[in-house]
Amino acid sequence: MRLFFSVMWAFVLACGSPVSGVDGGVTDGAVDAGEADGGMDGGMDGGAGDGGEDCNAGYVPGPEVALTERGPVRGEVTDGGRAFRGLPYVKPPVGARRWRPPEPDFTCWSGVRDATAFGAWCPQLEQAQGVPFDAGAPVKGDEDCLTLNVFTPSSVAPDAGLPVLFFLHGGGNTLGAASVQAAPGVFLYDGAALAQRGNVVVVTAQYRLGALGFLSMPALDAESDAGVSGNYGLLDQQEALRWVQRNIRAFGGDPTRVLLFGESAGAVDTCMHLGMPASRGLFHRALVQSGSCTSAAPVDARRMEAATWLAGTGCAQATDQAACLRALTPEQLIRAYPVEVVVGQRRGVVSWGPTADGVVLPQRPVDALLAGTGHPVPLVVGSNLDETALSMPLITTEAEYRAAVAAALGPALVDEVLQRYPVATYGTPRRALVQVTTDAFFGCQARLSARAAARGQPQAPVYRYLFARAPVPARGAFHGIELAYVFQKVMELQATPQADDLAVEASVLSLWTRFAATGDPTGGAGAWPRYDASETLLRLDATSTTVSGWRSSECDFWDGVVGFNVPPPP
């Protein structure tokens, strides 16, 4: 086996905790624009540019060429699928458009646009899960980064009507890209194999990150017609979903069967769209991998973070702070306060992510779901068995265990946590710590989200899973481990694939694509029951089983810690 789950995953995803923030051991209520465009009927906008001209005049679609609203694009076709990469879906968010909602661009491009290469990463500080944080690490990326990628089976008609899987990458809303490499030459989110094997269309999109994507402050509020700022990354995602509605038929996709899904921060953002009024109708199922619907900070918390960050920019005393900030380079913005993305720890003094601003995101999605005002679409919520196994320190003593719990959750919780999670129960201090942080930041957050949706919107089915496959048992089923199975990368990442891994990969393919197609991951077979009063989840492993009441007493404890308890579904 190659260094599949050691070197690879240490690099792949510094996905960050899906928790919006634990502050002193507790979080903002949990561990932490209008209706959709009425013109989105799923058809392409006639290929018409700004001036009404036909951007596709004289061109016909073919195996390598698809016709989009801005003109034809030429992708790459192999026996393993078709790929159209680096397609811009809005105007570049540069200059005066920095910290503005994304603007669609319908200008025709000249001739056939090459679509064989991924677009630039959005600006970010290089980081990796399982590697010590380096505030002086290189800054990479380009502000002109809002592109998406479309993958289809190698042979598909433009009107094939295939289900669409729209994926949001993780990275704590601070780093990551659609072209992350899991190993040299292996792009983790390249969806060609998933599209080919699942007979679906896969879309991956990039969105603004860090301060460029989520800065919320009064100077930017004043520029906004809505009177709010921040959430630019979410608005980017929303605009990419609109692009799908207008264009995906040309790639063989069905705009009425769009599955929105993501991992870690991408899963958090998926949840945010469940509570964003303008996202209604842009997707029809949602799947949340290691994220929660609780992670939207209130405006006041974001204001405090912005003030701390602003002090490092040199613009705090400027008469026109917005203009001062727009004059800085992306690297200067990032280095003003380098933000570490962590997995399984309370957030730092400055973090970047969604804001419950009362307009774009009226409230935390978990509250909207519980109240029955979220988008009632079929929902899957999942987490991994050992989410924090890569990110926790290599402790060996009780004293180190106590210190690590204090660092992760705040000193006020240490005694209660150690009493409920004694080392004797888990074998070693580190195993106990991994379980503490996995429960607090992931597993019990998944339960909260699933309960809220199932209880508040019973008309829409909810399913819950636990991903337990650990190809290297000593490393566990850690954060991001499931992505290789979802994107069908096992053959590329194991020199000699294990039969159990191939079986899990096939199972995930079937479940994810069937859910996209029908809203029921088992197609009515009942092997994965709906989340109801029994609180049954599907444990995904070499042999998958159903389990009821997974870690119920531990999750009851964490609900009490955060003061947010949602009863089981009736």
Side-chain angles (χ1 to χ4, degrees):
M1 184 189 301
R2 297 176 187 171
L3 299 181
F4 184 19
F5 296 100
S6 53
V7 175
M8 170 186 131
W9 290 107
F11 168 78
V12 167
L13 288 174
C15 291
S17 168
V19 181
S20 185
V22 180
D23 188 6
V26 296
T27 65
D28 312 320
V31 180
D32 194 275
E35 291 300 313
D37 185 348
M40 292 171 201
D41 62 358
M44 197 174 69
D45 191 21
D50 285 339
E53 68 272 32
D54 182 356
C55 296
N56 295 304
Y59 295 97
V60 295
E64 295 182 349
V65 176
L67 306 183
T68 76
E69 61 194 359
R70 296 186 62 190
V73 293
R74 175 172 285 109
E76 180 181 39
V77 182
T78 69
D79 291 341
R82 286 199 312 170
F84 298 85
R85 304 182 180 94
L87 303 178
Y89 61 89
V90 290
K91 296 178 181 178
V94 300
R97 285 193 291 272
R98 182 187 282 181
W99 294 308
R100 306 270 191 188
E103 298 180 26
D105 191 349
F106 301 106
T107 306
C108 299
W109 42 59
S110 177
V112 180
R113 181 184 177 92
D114 180 78
T116 59
F118 286 109
W121 289 37
C122 292
Q124 58 193 270
L125 185 71
E126 288 189 357
Q127 299 184 50
Q129 181 179 327
V131 176
F133 178 63
D134 178 8
V139 170
K140 65 184 298 183
D142 189 294
E143 205 168 353
D144 182 1
C145 62
L146 298 186
T147 60
L148 55 76
N149 314 289
V150 182
F151 305 92
T152 82
S154 55
S155 178
V156 59
D159 59 352
L162 301 181
V164 179
L165 283 74
F166 184 106
F167 179 76
L168 298 173
H169 70 77
N173 284 312
T174 303
L175 61 148
S179 54
V180 162
Q181 292 191 63
V186 180
F187 293 92
L188 181 61
Y189 307 134
D190 186 298
L194 172 57
Q196 181 79 356
R197 296 177 188 178
N199 198 34
V200 295
V201 174
V202 178
V203 179
T204 63
Q206 301 196 156
Y207 52 95
R208 282 174 281 183
L209 302 169
L212 290 167
F214 294 93
L215 176 62
S216 176
M217 56 185 289
L220 297 179
D221 291 349
E223 298 181 343
S224 166
D225 292 340
V228 298
S229 58
N231 292 327
Y232 304 106
L234 296 180
L235 292 172
D236 293 342
Q237 297 162 10
Q238 197 175 77
E239 207 58 54
L241 285 164
R242 291 194 178 104
W243 185 97
V244 166
Q245 288 296 305
R246 298 192 302 267
N247 290 275
I248 208 63
R249 286 191 193 278
F251 297 88
D254 181 352
T256 70
R257 291 192 295 168
V258 176
L259 165 64
L260 175 61
F261 75 124
E263 188 269 346
S264 195
V268 168
D269 294 351
T270 294
C271 274
M272 298 303 111
H273 289 283
L274 291 171
M276 291 172 63
S279 293
R280 183 180 292 273
L282 300 181
F283 61 98
H284 314 93
R285 307 88 164 80
L287 194 154
V288 175
Q289 298 175 205
S290 301
S292 86
C293 297
T294 65
S295 303
V299 171
D300 288 348
R302 293 296 185 211
R303 290 287 188 270
M304 294 176 63
E305 292 181 341
T308 301
W309 170 82
L310 186 63
T313 66
C315 293
Q317 305 305 318
T319 302
D320 188 336
Q321 291 180 338
C324 180
L325 291 172
R326 286 194 176 97
L328 300 180
T329 66
E331 179 164 0
Q332 288 173 313
L333 298 174
I334 290 169
R335 295 209 184 279
Y337 197 109
V339 173
E340 179 181 7
V341 178
V342 296
V343 175
Q345 295 187 47
R346 57 181 175 170
R347 71 182 184 204
V349 176
V350 175
S351 64
W352 303 113
T355 302
D357 60 14
V359 179
V360 174
L361 183 62
Q363 62 185 139
R364 294 184 312 167
V366 69
D367 298 317
L369 292 172
L370 186 58
T373 58
H375 304 327
V377 300
L379 173 65
V380 169
V381 180
S383 59
N384 295 351
L385 183 64
D386 312 290
E387 291 275 6
T388 64
L390 273 191
S391 55
M392 290 300 102
L394 299 175
I395 60 172
T396 58
T397 68
E398 291 264 5
E400 290 174 330
Y401 178 35
R402 173 175 287 273
V405 170
L409 296 160
L413 281 177
V414 172
D415 289 337
E416 283 186 273
V417 170
L418 266 62
Q419 182 178 2
R420 181 161 291 273
Y421 293 83
V423 171
T425 299
Y426 298 95
T428 70
R430 191 172 191 278
R431 287 176 185 163
L433 179 63
V434 168
Q435 193 63 65
V436 166
T437 49
T438 293
D439 286 351
F441 291 91
F442 294 95
C444 297
Q445 294 305 296
R447 192 184 80 161
L448 266 179
S449 301
R451 280 184 169 189
R455 190 170 190 85
Q457 301 185 160
Q459 73 275 33
V462 176
Y463 303 88
R464 187 177 166 200
Y465 74 82
L466 178 72
F467 192 90
R469 177 61 187 161
V472 180
R475 293 188 175 272
F478 57 81
H479 192 61
I481 195 76
E482 82 286 3
L483 289 165
Y485 300 88
V486 172
F487 281 92
Q488 306 292 291
K489 299 296 181 181
V490 170
M491 290 288 288
E492 293 182 73
L493 295 168
Q494 291 189 20
T496 306
Q498 299 182 46
D500 285 347
D501 288 317
L502 293 174
V504 172
E505 183 182 56
S507 179
V508 168
L509 175 70
S510 175
L511 295 170
W512 265 235
T513 56
R514 189 177 290 115
F515 182 63
T518 69
D520 179 346
T522 60
W528 185 356
R530 288 178 59 162
Y531 195 73
D532 57 19
S534 66
E535 298 202 270
T536 301
L537 56 76
L538 181 68
R539 181 182 171 118
L540 281 162
D541 206 335
T543 300
S544 294
T545 58
T546 55
V547 181
S548 296
W550 176 254
R551 302 194 67 76
S552 287
S553 63
E554 290 82 2
C555 290
D556 290 344
F557 167 74
W558 291 111
D559 288 354
V561 166
V562 301
F564 185 69
N565 181 277
V566 179

